[in-house]
Amino acid sequence: MTTPLTRTAAWQALSAHASSMGATQMKDLFAAQPERFQRFSRSAADILFDFSKNRINDKTLQLLLQLYEEADVAGAKNRMLAGEAINFTENRAVLHMALRAGGKRSYQFGGKEILPDVHQVLEQMARFVAAIHHGERRGFNGKKLTHFVNIGIGGSDLGPHMVCQALKPYAKEGCHVDFVSNVDSSHLVEILKNCRADETLFIVSSKTFTTQETMTNAHSARRWLVAALGSDAAVANHFVAVSTNAQGVAAFGIDTANMFEFWDWVGGRFSLWSAIGLPIALYLGMAQFRELLAGAEAMDEHFITTPAADNLPVILALLGIWYSAFFAARGYAILPYDQYLNRFSAYLQQAEMESNGKQTDYEGQTISDYPTAPIIWGEPGTNGQHAFYQMLHQGTQIIPIDFIATARSHNPLGDHHAILTANVLAQSEALMAGRSLSEAAEQLRQRGYSEDEISRLAPHRVMPGNRPSNTLFIPQLTPRTLGSLIALYEHKIFVQGVIWRINSFDQWGVELGKELAQVILPELQPGNANNPHDASTLGLIAYYRQLQR
Ligand code: G6Q
């Protein structure tokens, strides 16, 4: 059976072309085309994107671009920009680009300009951040508030958490930030051990203000604060909320004057640019937060205005589709060679897998003839090299990779940064070039091994090579370059979702587990009756109950 995507001329041509490319070795392509790096690299918004170490030639790129055209990604992009409800299963617009729009472009929702609202909340954040930093707004006992604890989960945690880690060199002196997300009490309790109540500001971040984990953590944090400071009145000084639900915020006991608003047209995993970024602004200062927005806006302008053939997010998206569709790639590694990006892969796991890990197409049909989102994972280099890179080099499947490198360190120290950079460049070269049997044998011969030992050992030292990777090189990790990098991936995800014909902006897959947890919760108490469950679930509930006695 074919579906609208696999019926396109481009898909069919790509499928035939992939068979002919199957035997092509990248190292031969490099040998035959000395200008391959120039031909297959682009740059925008301070990001150099080298995609020359891919199993592609000019024809591949041309066919992938044809696929982009046939899928009418440009049309979908225009509908997104026009504020249409492209999140059609939730009837919502997708306008996170408006959150970082300085004013060059107008964004409308429901016939109304939305930038004035966006800028008003940014101003409110700026006033609040300044008041905290200057000590005009203090804790209940008059102490300066210097420890910011964000309570949120998913989209209300991963983005701000990743950004605060990434931009630690820009932190305001004396400020600390922590993120509580997991409902496991150990998460909150361990963080509270390092907090002084009179200096701590809790930011309860929840679009809906109903999320079980966040509400449970927020209530426990509130009890801890009231017990420590001896008064309910302290909540007003030490709690603020970021939400779209003013009623829920008031019901929790936070004055809505201490609430930062955002809107239904901001999806959770695209919300770090909204007031959900408040912990970022508190930790780094508003000027740096605005730099982050400006970096994202630069990538937005590139994405919106640059022809597909030179468009970074478009090319990155098309290459991902090329490998998943025609080379059975089911994983995708994000490998940043910058320690500050140590939560970047975790962030992208949500961004990519919650957006595009779907099997139902625009027409409601189950997709059966092409894969959608791959499994995203990664760790910062060089740690990963001593862990899972073995599989990248010699495993039986192709795992495409994005290496992310920075040319300058925030902490220059001897030759550390040169060693780090040599490693990232060596990895992409080794994955591409590999090592043949005869090369492995020759190496052993040089080292004085006998011919018997060589024939026994050489096969284990063969690296097939021809393993694809992109390198995203940025001068330095700054608020601006990080903003551009994140926006690059957001747009990549959008392009892939349109080509795969799925709604990238809902997340129905996380609902069923949540509903069943509500059913099971009372059943964990001794004496409560069980609802009908399978034997496994009943057995596990009984085991838990028994251990509570
Ligand atoms: C993201 C998802 C999800 C969401 C969390 C938290 O796109 O919608 O990760 O962000 O479930 O939701 P609240 O912000 O409503 O608490």
Side-chain angles (χ1 to χ4, degrees), residues 224-417:
W224 173 85
L225 182 97
V226 169
L229 298 183
S231 171
D232 263 331
V235 172
N237 299 66
H238 292 267
F239 274 82
V240 293
V242 180
S243 189
T244 57
N245 175 2
Q247 264 187 337
V249 170
F252 178 86
I254 297 176
D255 185 341
T256 46
N258 292 331
M259 168 178 153
F260 298 82
E261 191 195 2
F262 64 114
W263 306 273
D264 207 37
W265 42 261
V266 184
R269 53 194 172 275
F270 303 96
S271 64
L272 73 90
W273 322 99
S274 71
I276 289 288
L278 185 63
I280 306 172
L282 283 164
Y283 185 51
L284 310 176
M286 201 63 194
Q288 303 296 9
F289 185 64
R290 288 190 192 275
E291 276 289 292
L292 183 79
L293 301 183
E297 187 186 21
M299 184 54 72
D300 294 345
E301 285 305 310
H302 168 77
F303 175 59
I304 294 168
T305 59
T306 308
D310 294 319
N311 197 305
L312 269 59
V314 171
I315 299 170
L316 190 61
L318 292 171
L319 290 169
I321 291 175
W322 170 238
Y323 294 114
S324 66
F326 305 111
F327 294 85
R330 297 292 170 265
Y332 199 113
I334 305 288
L335 306 175
Y337 276 64
D338 189 305
Q339 186 60 27
Y340 287 117
L341 285 174
N342 66 353
R343 286 197 60 82
F344 195 65
S345 326
Y347 165 78
L348 279 187
Q349 272 177 339
Q350 182 195 32
E352 299 223 5
M353 292 161 77
E354 196 166 75
S355 299
N356 287 339
K358 291 171 188 162
Q359 57 159 6
T360 309
D361 74 5
Y362 288 155
E363 285 80 26
Q365 301 300 315
T366 302
I367 296 168
S368 56
D369 55 353
Y370 56 89
T372 57
I375 300 160
I376 302 287
W377 97 103
E379 280 291 321
T382 58
N383 294 358
Q385 289 177 206
H386 299 265
F388 54 81
Y389 278 38
Q390 163 62 39
M391 179 171 159
L392 303 182
H393 286 283
Q394 286 190 308
T396 51
Q397 54 178 303
I398 288 182
I399 298 170
I401 296 164
D402 288 351
F403 289 109
I404 301 170
T406 50
R408 288 193 300 271
S409 167
H410 279 290
N411 302 292
L413 181 66
D415 52 3
H416 283 246
H417 202 70

Side-chain angles (χ1 to χ4, degrees), residues 153-156 205-209 211 214 267-269 350 354 507:
I153 196 164
S156 301
S205 291
S206 175
K207 181 172 172 181
T208 54
F209 230 73
T211 304
T214 301
R269 53 194 172 275
Q350 182 195 32
E354 196 166 75
Q507 54 283 313

Side-chain angles (χ1 to χ4, degrees), residues 13-222:
L14 278 163
S15 178
H17 176 62
S19 323
S20 75
M21 284 298 282
T24 306
Q25 292 291 317
M26 277 189 267
K27 62 181 172 190
D28 297 336
L29 295 174
F30 271 101
Q33 199 176 31
E35 79 290 2
R36 188 170 165 86
F37 170 73
Q38 284 75 11
R39 193 155 191 83
F40 296 114
S41 62
R42 306 280 186 275
S43 57
D46 255 352
I47 299 176
L48 169 65
F49 173 40
D50 171 20
F51 58 100
S52 58
K53 291 192 187 96
N54 276 291
R55 292 192 186 186
I56 58 166
N57 59 18
D58 291 332
K59 178 156 186 218
T60 324
L61 193 56
Q62 177 227 313
L63 289 175
L64 287 169
L65 291 166
Q66 188 188 326
L67 183 69
Y68 172 90
E69 293 300 326
E70 287 189 50
D72 189 26
V73 182
K77 182 164 71 175
N78 289 338
R79 288 192 288 283
M80 170 164 70
L81 286 166
E84 285 183 31
I86 62 165
N87 175 357
F88 59 91
T89 58
E90 296 182 305
N91 195 27
R92 286 183 181 149
V94 176
L95 284 168
H96 47 271
M97 276 191 276
L99 299 167
R100 58 246 187 164
K104 285 191 206 111
R105 201 171 277 283
S106 125
Y107 287 89
Q108 298 200 344
F109 177 67
K112 181 180 161 249
E113 280 291 336
I114 54 175
L115 290 197
D117 290 351
V118 169
H119 294 156
Q120 198 181 326
V121 174
L122 281 171
E123 284 309 311
Q124 184 197 0
M125 287 168 69
R127 284 192 301 276
F128 179 75
V129 168
I132 294 282
H133 288 164
H134 298 148
E136 289 149 14
R137 219 192 127 120
R138 289 176 177 257
F140 187 60
N141 291 341
K143 281 273 191 90
K144 257 187 106 168
L145 295 166
T146 53
H147 196 155
F148 314 119
V149 177
N150 190 76
I151 300 178
I153 196 164
S156 301
D157 166 76
L158 287 157
H161 193 171
M162 178 274 287
V163 170
C164 286
Q165 293 254 337
L167 299 177
K168 204 170 175 191
Y170 296 85
K172 284 268 169 195
E173 215 186 314
C175 289
H176 304 279
V177 70
D178 276 303
F179 288 83
V180 179
S181 51
N182 198 337
V183 74
D184 182 341
S185 47
S186 301
H187 200 181
L188 177 65
V189 168
E190 283 297 336
I191 285 172
L192 292 181
K193 281 182 190 168
N194 295 320
C195 291
R196 289 180 49 110
D198 50 5
E199 296 174 355
T200 301
L201 176 73
F202 291 98
I203 304 137
V204 186
S205 291
S206 175
K207 181 172 172 181
T208 54
F209 230 73
T210 56
T211 304
Q212 187 187 42
E213 294 92 329
T214 301
M215 290 302 110
T216 306
N217 278 323
H219 281 287
S220 297
R222 187 184 198 279

